[in-house]
Amino acid sequence: MIDQLDELYREVILDHFKNPHRKGELAGAQIKVDGANPLCGDELTFYLTMSNGTIGQARFTGKGCAISQAAASMFAEQIEGKTPAEVTRLIEAMKALMQGHEPDPSIDLGDLESLAGVRKFPVRVKCAALSWNVVEQGLRG
Ligand code: ZN
């Protein structure tokens, strides 16, 4: 499926998959939450530290397909320094993107924008969405 993605998107996704950012356990994380996408066999655990109402550090561990692991790398990177409310807005933007809508242009998606191509493959949307579903659950407590 990754071969069918647009060239630009594919390169960014493969780069995050091969050289994941923010990967590893995080000692002292106040939030640790995990989830799975059984349809594909993707598993992710997110670790977050909170300070002064914002996310300090975000790390993840897990295994699964390139989309799920690359999305986790991009998402972990993008949520650091954000408040839970800002993360919620980012998640809304990603859900819009996955549904083929234009996300709120005031929200910086960073490399997450490269996941736009995934919406052409509905089964894979669940792989990409695992990251934000897990973090959403973690922030809800
Ligand atoms: Zn997957």
Side-chain angles (χ1 to χ4, degrees), residues 4 6 10-11 19 21 31-32 34 37 41 43 49-50 55 68 73 81 94 96-97 110 112 129 133:
Q4 298 166 274
D6 299 335
R10 191 177 65 212
E11 273 181 34
N19 305 295
H21 306 183
I31 295 174
K32 180 183 177 228
D34 51 25
N37 170 24
E43 294 173 13
T49 60
M50 302 296 296
I55 293 169
S68 69
S73 169
M94 289 312 296
L97 193 68
L112 285 167
N133 289 340

Side-chain angles (χ1 to χ4, degrees), residues 48-51 54-58 79-82:
L48 308 174
T49 60
M50 302 296 296
S51 65
T54 66
I55 293 169
Q57 289 180 291
I79 61 177
E80 285 188 342
K82 285 193 165 60

Side-chain angles (χ1 to χ4, degrees), residues 34-94:
D34 51 25
N37 170 24
L39 284 176
C40 181
D42 307 317
E43 294 173 13
L44 287 176
T45 303
F46 267 83
Y47 305 82
L48 308 174
T49 60
M50 302 296 296
S51 65
N52 298 323
T54 66
I55 293 169
Q57 289 180 291
R59 294 287 183 279
F60 77 97
T61 57
K63 59 186 169 75
C65 69
I67 298 293
S68 69
Q69 302 303 304
S73 169
M74 296 169 188
F75 193 67
E77 190 165 59
Q78 206 60 27
I79 61 177
E80 285 188 342
K82 285 193 165 60
T83 64
E86 287 167 337
V87 172
T88 300
R89 283 200 291 278
L90 177 65
I91 291 172
E92 303 279 303
M94 289 312 296

